[in-house]
Amino acid sequence: QKEKYNTARLSVQDSLRKDYKAYKFGPYPVGIASVLDNIHDLVAKDPANFSSVCDSFCTQNQILGLIIMCAYFVEREFRREIVVIQAGSDEAGSFYQKLVGSLEAQ
């Protein structure tokens, strides 16, 4: 059971794919990846290429934005982090602005 949560051997790409779902945010195709690392550890898997791996993941999955939900424990305390990755297009910029606007309105 413990090995199920061991992400040390997973690449950034594999971490994103492990628990990934595609959604529509209005007219915008987006993806949500739940990962079992904090964002620091996820980026540390491939710091020089993290952005390009995320961009490639967006392209491969035909999404304009990727929401990474980091869920992990520090000692016995459960923690979460959310990271929003914007793909490189004008339409992706529109998605990002709409998403941020809806989060700020909350």
Side-chain angles (χ1 to χ4, degrees), residues 89-103:
S89 72
D90 291 340
E91 191 175 15
S94 297
F95 152 73
Y96 184 78
Q97 292 303 319
K98 185 170 181 136
L99 176 64
V100 170
S102 70
L103 292 173

Side-chain angles (χ1 to χ4, degrees), residues 51-71:
S51 292
S52 62
V53 169
C54 289
D55 286 344
S56 293
F57 191 84
C58 289
T59 300
Q60 290 169 356
N61 289 285
Q62 299 178 332
I63 55 176
L64 297 176
L66 174 63
I67 299 167
I68 303 172
M69 297 187 313
C70 300

Side-chain angles (χ1 to χ4, degrees), residues 4 21 39 41 64 71 95 100:
K4 179 180 176 181
K21 304 288 186 280
I39 191 60
D41 290 345
L64 297 176
F95 152 73
V100 170

Side-chain angles (χ1 to χ4, degrees), residues 65-85:
L66 174 63
I67 299 167
I68 303 172
M69 297 187 313
C70 300
Y72 60 97
F73 284 92
V74 174
E75 295 178 18
R76 294 184 177 193
E77 183 180 337
F78 182 71
R79 297 191 182 174
R80 291 187 196 132
E81 298 170 324
I82 296 206
V83 180
V84 178
I85 306 290

